[in-house]
Amino acid sequence: MDHGMVGSAQSGRLLVEVREEGSSAVVTPAGELDHHTADLLREPLDALLAKGFSRLVVDCSRLQFCDSTGLNVLLGARLKADAAGGGVHLAGMLPVVARVFEITGAEAVFTVHASVEAALSGETG
């Protein structure tokens, strides 16, 4: 597996790290995902999809906040990944972020995993 760091982007409230894991890419947003920081996540997701990664794992374990704009970024990436025969897998969601997905019903359209390792191996839960 390739564990090489691909890159990162940072704002005052959001840091996004990207790494390739074999045929998947792991994207780790850390901080607050909202209207002001959404492009910092959208751009690497779009770049990975354009590069041919159709299976994206979003490590949510360091995501402290997500509003509707952030949710829309993830939903948009999911649609593009699905169209390419892949998907967006969410891993390690903190309760405050999981609640947003639960309230909006978005949890039903994502595969949610307990950890990044579980997401990479295909385990759900």
Side-chain angles (χ1 to χ4, degrees):
M1 271 187 212
D2 177 15
H3 293 281
M5 181 62 75
V6 174
S8 65
Q10 183 171 4
S11 159
R13 294 186 325 217
L14 187 72
L15 169 68
V16 179
E17 297 175 355
V18 177
R19 72 180 193 271
E20 297 175 6
E21 292 280 345
S23 61
S24 299
V26 178
V27 180
T28 306
E32 299 177 5
L33 178 57
D34 60 23
H35 172 74
H36 300 288
T37 61
D39 283 340
L40 287 171
L41 182 59
R42 181 183 294 110
E43 290 167 4
L45 290 173
D46 285 348
L48 287 165
L49 290 163
K51 195 174 172 182
F53 287 95
S54 61
R55 189 173 195 280
L56 305 177
V57 175
V58 180
D59 178 0
C60 299
S61 65
R62 295 169 51 202
L63 191 59
Q64 299 164 353
F65 176 80
C66 180
D67 74 358
S68 61
T69 306
L71 183 60
N72 282 329
V73 167
L74 293 169
L75 288 166
R78 180 195 152 271
L79 289 173
K80 292 174 187 173
D82 285 354
V88 173
H89 300 258
L90 306 179
M93 270 200 261
L94 298 175
V96 67
V97 174
R99 182 78 176 129
V100 172
F101 284 78
E102 181 184 325
I103 289 169
T104 61
E107 66 183 359
V109 300
F110 287 99
T111 304
V112 180
H113 305 269
S115 67
V116 171
E117 294 74 22
L120 290 170
S121 70
E123 298 172 20
T124 57

